[in-house]
Amino acid sequence: MKIKEIVSYIEEIAPISYQESYDNSGLQIGKMDTEVDSALLTVDITEEVIDEAILKNIKLIISHHPLIFGGVKRINGANFVERIIIKAIKNDIGIYSAHTNIDNVENGINAKICEKLELQNCKILVPRDNELLKLVTFVPISHLEMVKEAIFNTGAGHIGKYDCCSFSAEGTGTFRAQNDANPFVGKIGEIHHEKESKLETIIPRFLKNKVINALLKVHPYEEVAYDIFPLENKLSDVGAGMIGELKEPIEEIKFFNHLKKTFNLSIIRHTELSGKKIKKIAVCGGSGSSFLKNAIAAKADIFITGDFKYHQFFDAEGKIIIADVGHYESEQFSVELFNDILKKNIPNFALYLSEIKTNPINYY
Ligand SMILES: [Zn+2]
């Protein structure tokens, strides 16, 4: 199976365009057309992980954290990134990473954390804006359904739990074909009036080219009139963190024990307990401290993430409990998530969960 096909199942859920601007998700080493028969899944890529791939003869590593992040200026083996690059290329091993793109989607890392904590009514904590576009086009009435079907099939018109969303109204379009035109209706040199539908729908920005191509392919006119407008609506299924609720409120210590057990933690760094029960829970895999204000605004009882700094703990101000479970610990289930996605789509493809614990932080 080609790497391209394998990663397409991940990108179906987590389009690369949803990654943060500082990120470097995607295929880092190798070619999309390379055939592989297995993949090794890991949170991080360390030298032990690449050795594991070599030992098991696995030609594709899928990681959450990108190997190449801040740029590489030379590859002479001076540090672990350079040594891994050399080993990967020498051994024909491809390296693919899905990082903030899989952090930022409804069925990504944070949904996995919510699932592990058995939360309900989960939604994105900080929905992202500037991701939606409005598409308006004008279609002869006879072709309206055909055009709608084509653009819906490429993902246009998706709002929350509904798809095929659009609005159309009838009106009259006018045009005059020039000498070298080949009009679908009307005569050269004469102004033509045609009964048309004005069709409106929305598209996520990353699907723009795909939807426009589909529109141009099925629309009968030689020159298709269409408008694309940026929208300020928030996209409810894309953004940072998630918030959900426990079935029943439970005591703080009881919840901490549940958290410790579920995430296999030896320690939780947390702010002062309030003595109140926990019901509403905000989570953010990785370094989520910048979303503390969103968790407070959403009235979460507790915010679970990693990488909180000393002074940031003060910002809880008694309004929320901060529970820092560790960066690696919060994202350890990314491996299980990759496994779930790929197993579902390509059940016969061999997937290996790395046996290396890549967390660089140890607790004594
Ligand atoms: Zn991370």
Side-chain angles (χ1 to χ4, degrees):
M1 190 171 287
K2 288 197 165 94
I3 293 178
K4 185 166 42 184
E5 190 187 342
I6 298 157
V7 303
S8 74
Y9 298 114
I10 295 173
E11 291 180 12
E12 218 166 75
I13 287 176
I16 291 286
S17 63
Y18 286 165
Q19 69 178 320
E20 299 295 334
S21 54
Y22 57 78
D23 197 9
N24 191 31
S25 291
L27 188 62
Q28 309 228 312
I29 295 178
K31 285 183 176 169
M32 281 291 191
D33 282 331
T34 303
E35 294 272 347
V36 296
D37 58 10
S38 56
L40 182 64
L41 312 177
T42 179
V43 177
D44 306 282
I45 299 171
T46 62
E47 293 186 89
E48 291 83 0
V49 172
I50 193 102
D51 288 341
E52 184 184 11
I54 294 167
L55 193 74
K56 293 178 176 165
N57 199 26
I58 300 170
K59 300 295 185 189
L60 174 65
I61 300 176
I62 299 175
S63 72
H64 178 48
H65 291 135
L67 170 71
I68 302 168
F69 199 70
V72 174
K73 291 215 166 171
R74 51 182 68 84
I75 306 172
N76 55 25
N79 59 44
F80 79 97
V81 174
E82 295 174 18
R83 287 192 293 276
I84 292 170
I85 294 171
I86 293 168
K87 268 193 186 174
I89 294 172
K90 270 192 176 168
N91 290 280
D92 290 321
I93 294 172
I95 293 183
Y96 177 89
S97 308
H99 187 212
T100 52
N101 53 322
I102 208 158
D103 286 336
N104 281 335
V105 289
E106 203 175 27
N107 298 314
I109 302 282
N110 295 312
K112 193 80 199 165
I113 297 174
C114 291
E115 178 197 312
K116 291 282 171 186
L117 292 172
E118 297 171 37
L119 304 187
Q120 309 176 322
N121 308 322
C122 300
K123 55 179 198 216
I124 298 279
L125 178 64
V126 193
R128 209 191 255 192
D129 44 24
N130 295 319
E131 286 292 345
L132 278 179
L133 302 172
K134 164 140 288 193
L135 170 66
V136 179
T137 186
F138 307 87
V139 192
I141 289 164
S142 56
H143 285 68
L144 178 64
E145 290 309 314
M146 189 196 278
V147 167
K148 278 204 293 201
E149 193 187 331
I151 60 175
F152 289 158
N153 282 345
T154 54
H158 194 108
I159 305 177
K161 293 184 170 58
Y162 295 82
D163 61 3
C164 303
C165 303
S166 74
F167 178 81
S168 55
E170 288 185 15
T172 307
T174 66
F175 44 83
R176 180 164 62 191
Q178 305 291 300
N179 277 339
D180 50 354
N182 178 23
F184 173 67
V185 283
K187 295 198 176 94
I188 303 279
E190 282 179 22
I191 294 182
H192 179 79
H193 293 71
E194 179 69 20
K195 281 249 169 296
E196 292 176 346
S197 271
K198 179 185 180 188
L199 172 65
E200 298 186 21
T201 187
I202 55 161
I203 48 179
R205 194 176 286 276
F206 79 95
L207 282 179
K208 187 175 96 180
N209 292 341
K210 218 172 146 192
V211 173
I212 298 303
N213 286 340
L215 167 68
L216 298 181
K217 207 167 160 197
V218 296
H219 196 294
Y221 287 179
E222 191 171 23
E223 300 291 350
V224 179
Y226 64 89
D227 307 317
I228 292 174
F229 304 102
L231 297 179
E232 295 202 355
N233 305 38
K234 287 196 188 301
L235 196 53
S236 61
D237 52 2
V238 179
M242 260 186 148
I243 183 156
E245 293 171 342
L246 289 168
K247 226 180 261 169
E248 297 292 336
I250 64 169
E251 270 144 35
E252 288 161 326
I253 291 300
K254 232 174 158 184
F255 178 72
F256 270 20
N257 287 331
H258 170 48
L259 185 60
K260 265 188 145 175
K261 204 171 150 206
T262 313
F263 282 70
N264 195 23
L265 308 171
S266 59
I267 194 163
I268 299 172
R269 296 164 75 228
H270 65 90
T271 52
E272 202 179 353
L273 299 183
S274 65
K276 286 186 270 177
K277 286 189 172 174
I278 304 268
K279 168 97 171 151
K280 221 170 184 187
I281 296 169
V283 306
C284 185
S287 312
S289 61
S290 58
F291 305 115
L292 175 66
K293 53 187 181 304
N294 305 88
I296 293 172
K299 299 206 162 22
D301 301 309
I302 187 167
F303 183 36
I304 301 165
T305 183
D307 286 349
F308 255 90
K309 291 183 187 164
Y310 176 78
H311 288 289
Q312 293 173 323
F313 279 92
F314 286 103
D315 298 334
E317 295 195 59
K319 294 175 190 152
I320 197 167
I321 298 164
I322 296 169
D324 185 334
V325 296
H327 190 127
Y328 174 89
E329 288 81 355
S330 73
E331 294 190 316
Q332 60 186 300
F333 303 118
S334 53
V335 170
E336 198 179 309
L337 177 65
F338 290 139
N339 191 56
D340 292 350
I341 296 168
L342 296 174
K343 199 122 252 147
K344 195 174 128 203
N345 287 289
I346 35 176
N348 296 325
F349 185 75
L351 296 165
Y352 294 87
L353 277 55
S354 173
E355 290 168 43
I356 311 293
K357 187 180 156 286
T358 58
N359 190 359
I361 298 172
N362 293 280
Y363 305 99
Y364 179 69

